[in-house]
Amino acid sequence: MIDLRSDTVTRPSPAMREAMAMADVGDDVFGEDPTVNRLQEQVAQLLGKEAALYVPSGTMGNQLCIKVHTHPGDEVIAERGSHVFNYETAGGAFLSSIQIHTVDGERGRLDIEGITRAIRPSFYYMPRTRLVCLENTHNRAGGTTYSLERMKEVFAFSREKGLKLHLDGARLWNACVARGVSPAAFAACADSVSVCLSKGLGAPVGSVIAGARSFIDEARHYRKIFGGGMRQAGILAAAGLYALDHNVERLREDHEKAAFLARELATLPGMSIDLETVETNIVIIDVERASVSPAEILSRLRERGILLSLGNYLGLRAVTHLDVSMKDVQQAASVVRDVMLNLQGA
Ligand SMILES: *Cc1c(COP(=O)(O)O)cnc(C)c1O
């Protein structure tokens, strides 16, 4: 099977497993796991923040940041297609009693005008706008990135309005490689950042959040409440350290594979792709004009050994990652071509 459903399907390599097996560990609830501490220090430094905290998932990372930034009844501004709004099972409502105010972005990107319209005036009978969430890269929009200029602009504006800014950087590494911007430069445009180690970087588990020391101290408290206090987590953190050392620059190859796939599929009958969104490792394929449903296309591809997933409405999604080679992607493109030409009766 050539699995292009997500960059989360990667398995730890033998060398990563070796690093995990050899990790020094201790009880991280006591703050005594040296490998977790090293990972947290390294990510804090990479992101130019005072402190960082290892968490089990990107969802917990985002939800902890929302929790610490807000009070019950507050409003959080987020893009309509954002992960925090669509894929975190209403965690903001459940865990923090906040309401998300969605704004339509341009290919997932928010701008000052959109945010301005969403900020509530300060009447006692309205929710209090407290936080802006940006997503870079933007998953549902197809891995699109923010320019550093746009992020700076939005951050400066948020500051001016007294709002906090959280950056959902599950795939920030991809944005950095695609834009040639350092993680610290993007992170400087946010009060808090969450980054995933288990997407393109290929670690089996784990995310890290970063921010000011007092912010991270609060987040650690809530991490325990949310059930995310872990013991000898250094075994997992070692995979994250290995991933940061070996798997960041190679994301460029994933971007090349996605660009190739997008160019190939864009010409097929029944498929259309907004090539401008293909900046990193995600390809969203619009199949609205196909003669059969997206689910039917997926099942025909599966029979031929190719796995894609459902994207946004009437869309399919292909994600490249370190466990699929350029050759696999070429093979996938040729199978998709075959299946679509058959379906469209050409
Ligand atoms: C994957 C992802 C997350 C976190 O997902 P988990 O599966 O909880 O680790 C958060 N934000 C974005 C944009 C993502 O793509």
Side-chain angles (χ1 to χ4, degrees), residues 57-59 62 83 88 135 137 139 168 170-171 196 198-199 207:
S57 70
T59 297
N62 284 335
H83 198 278
E88 298 187 8
E135 190 172 313
T137 73
N139 182 347
D168 177 355
R171 293 187 182 80
C196 283
S198 59
K199 302 258 162 100
S207 284

Side-chain angles (χ1 to χ4, degrees), residues 43-313:
V43 174
Q45 193 175 19
L46 265 171
L47 296 175
K49 297 293 187 199
E50 284 174 6
L53 185 70
Y54 187 51
V55 295
S57 70
T59 297
M60 190 185 286
N62 284 335
Q63 292 304 323
L64 283 172
C65 291
I66 289 174
K67 183 75 192 172
V68 177
H69 283 308
T70 62
H71 302 290
D74 283 349
E75 209 163 61
V76 173
I77 296 173
E79 205 277 331
R80 185 179 304 281
S82 64
H83 198 278
V84 289
F85 180 58
N86 291 280
Y87 303 117
E88 298 187 8
T89 52
F94 191 92
L95 299 164
S96 299
S97 303
I98 57 92
Q99 167 164 288
I100 295 194
H101 190 140
T102 59
V103 176
D104 285 315
E106 176 270 318
R107 296 188 173 94
R109 290 177 278 252
L110 292 181
D111 61 14
I112 288 178
E113 197 202 327
I115 294 169
T116 303
R117 288 167 189 270
I119 295 174
R120 304 287 190 174
S122 54
F123 296 130
Y124 79 89
Y125 48 79
M126 292 191 110
R128 290 184 179 138
T129 307
R130 186 81 61 183
L131 176 68
V132 175
C133 287
L134 302 185
E135 190 172 313
N136 191 17
T137 73
H138 194 291
N139 182 347
R140 202 170 150 109
T144 52
T145 65
Y146 278 86
S147 68
L148 184 58
E149 290 64 41
R150 173 74 68 85
M151 291 239 7
K152 280 183 178 165
E153 226 175 79
V154 170
F155 186 49
F157 178 75
S158 303
R159 277 262 156 107
E160 185 190 310
K161 297 291 172 189
L163 306 177
K164 296 292 184 190
L165 195 148
H166 171 66
L167 173 58
D168 177 355
R171 293 187 182 80
L172 187 66
W173 320 107
N174 296 80
C176 290
V177 166
R179 289 270 181 184
V181 170
S182 73
F186 275 134
C189 305
D191 297 291
S192 60
V193 188
S194 65
V195 292
C196 283
L197 303 166
S198 59
K199 302 258 162 100
L201 296 199
V205 176
S207 284
V208 180
I209 58 174
R213 190 166 305 280
S214 57
F215 178 89
I216 292 298
D217 286 344
E218 273 300 283
R220 187 178 299 107
H221 173 74
Y222 285 111
R223 183 185 66 174
K224 193 74 174 80
I225 297 178
F226 289 1
M230 298 181 285
R231 304 294 178 172
Q232 286 72 33
I235 295 227
L236 299 172
L241 282 164
Y242 181 91
L244 287 170
D245 286 347
H246 296 90
N247 294 344
V248 177
E249 276 309 312
R250 63 150 305 285
L251 290 172
R252 201 177 302 284
E253 298 165 28
D254 295 343
H255 301 175
E256 284 161 12
K257 287 177 268 182
F260 169 83
L261 188 66
R263 281 195 305 272
E264 292 290 308
L265 305 192
T267 61
L268 298 180
M271 290 192 156
S272 81
I273 295 172
D274 177 359
L275 290 173
E276 277 197 44
T277 64
V278 189
E279 298 176 55
T280 56
N281 68 328
I282 302 177
V283 183
I284 301 284
I285 309 154
D286 183 335
V287 290
E288 198 167 348
R289 289 179 296 105
S291 54
V292 298
S293 69
E296 177 65 23
I297 298 174
L298 286 182
S299 100
R300 293 196 187 208
L301 289 172
R302 178 181 278 272
E303 283 165 17
R304 302 272 313 266
I306 308 297
L307 300 179
L308 304 188
S309 59
L310 285 176
N312 47 24
Y313 178 68

